């Protein structure tokens, strides 16, 4: 069994979709969800799904090694960032080389980098009157949104689109493709 840990910071629609997609799969399973904001709605989703969820704060990620110990104790094979908004600490990158996957709600390298997450991305895309946006699923390295791209999917935008309607189009792409791309990557 290939064990996934999902890291999330907020709502958790991607974490839920991935958990449901692999439910009952005999090769890949979501072992746990880790979240870094105490009131993140993803914790409620995890509970409803019956997936173990654990909160870790800044010191656990960057100072005392608690997150890495947790992942190793549970024998996690791959780490999935699903709306996780902190830079991945170095000890995790070393322990999981090319085994951490992120989703970004834009067509990288456009609209990436520090501060470019969630709704901020869609606001910038609309402000620049882009004709298209999309999702990028990529391997994580020590920089924000820079690692090797595994997959991109696009959606068309019109003059009528608002940040909210762009978010909805991106959400559809994320739900459709993220679990499938994870599956392909971890099965090699
Ligand atoms: C998703 O759109 C994801 O692509 C984005 O945050 C949202 C999380 O939604 N990630 C980033 O912006 C990372 N830079 P969710 O919590 O409902 O899955």
């Amino acid at each position: 069994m290939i064990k996934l840990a999902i890291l999330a910071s907020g709502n958790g629609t991607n974490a839920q979709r991935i958990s449901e997609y692999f439910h009952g799969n005999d090769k890949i399973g979501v072992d746990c969800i880790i979240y870094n904001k105490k009131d993140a709605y993803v914790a409620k989703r995890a509970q409803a799904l019956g997936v173990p969820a654990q909160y870790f704060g800044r010191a656990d990620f960057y100072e005392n090694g608690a997150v890495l110990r947790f992942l190793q104790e549970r024998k996690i094979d791959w780490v999935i960032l699903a709306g996780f908004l902190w830079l991945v600490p170095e000890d995790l990158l070393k322990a999981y080389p090319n085994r951490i996957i992120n989703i970004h709600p834009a067509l990288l390298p456009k609209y990436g980098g520090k501060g470019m997450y969630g709704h901020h991305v869609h606001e910038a895309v609309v402000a620049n009157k882009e004709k298209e946006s999309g999702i990028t699923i990529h391997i994580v390295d020590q920089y924000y949104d820079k690692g090797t791209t595994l997959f991109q999917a696009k959606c068309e935008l019109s003059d009528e689109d608002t940040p909210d309607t762009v978010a909805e189009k991106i959400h559809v792409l994320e739900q459709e493709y993220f679990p499938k791309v994870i599956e392909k990557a971890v099965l090699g």
Side-chain angles (χ1 to χ4, degrees), residues 10-15 82-85 102-105 116-118 145 174:
N11 188 351
T13 60
N14 282 284
F84 181 74
L85 303 181
N102 181 44
I103 189 160
H104 187 77
M116 270 294 165
Y117 59 87
D145 307 322
E174 293 187 335

Side-chain angles (χ1 to χ4, degrees), residues 50-126:
V51 176
Q54 178 73 42
Y55 166 81
F56 286 105
R58 194 164 275 280
D60 302 319
F61 276 91
Y62 299 106
E63 287 163 32
N64 59 37
V67 175
L68 180 59
R69 270 199 309 283
F70 182 83
L71 295 173
Q72 289 179 330
E73 275 164 16
R74 298 184 77 97
K75 302 200 176 347
I76 298 300
D77 299 294
W78 287 74
V79 177
I80 310 299
L81 310 188
F84 181 74
L85 303 181
W86 290 354
L87 208 55
V88 174
E90 217 177 296
D91 60 347
L92 259 65
L93 289 168
K94 280 209 181 102
Y96 292 95
N98 296 314
R99 281 173 174 251
I100 306 178
I101 297 175
N102 181 44
I103 189 160
H104 187 77
L107 296 170
L108 292 174
K110 285 177 127 182
Y111 303 102
K114 193 166 166 46
M116 270 294 165
Y117 59 87
H119 226 258
H120 297 288
V121 175
H122 310 316
E123 279 161 24
V125 164
V126 169

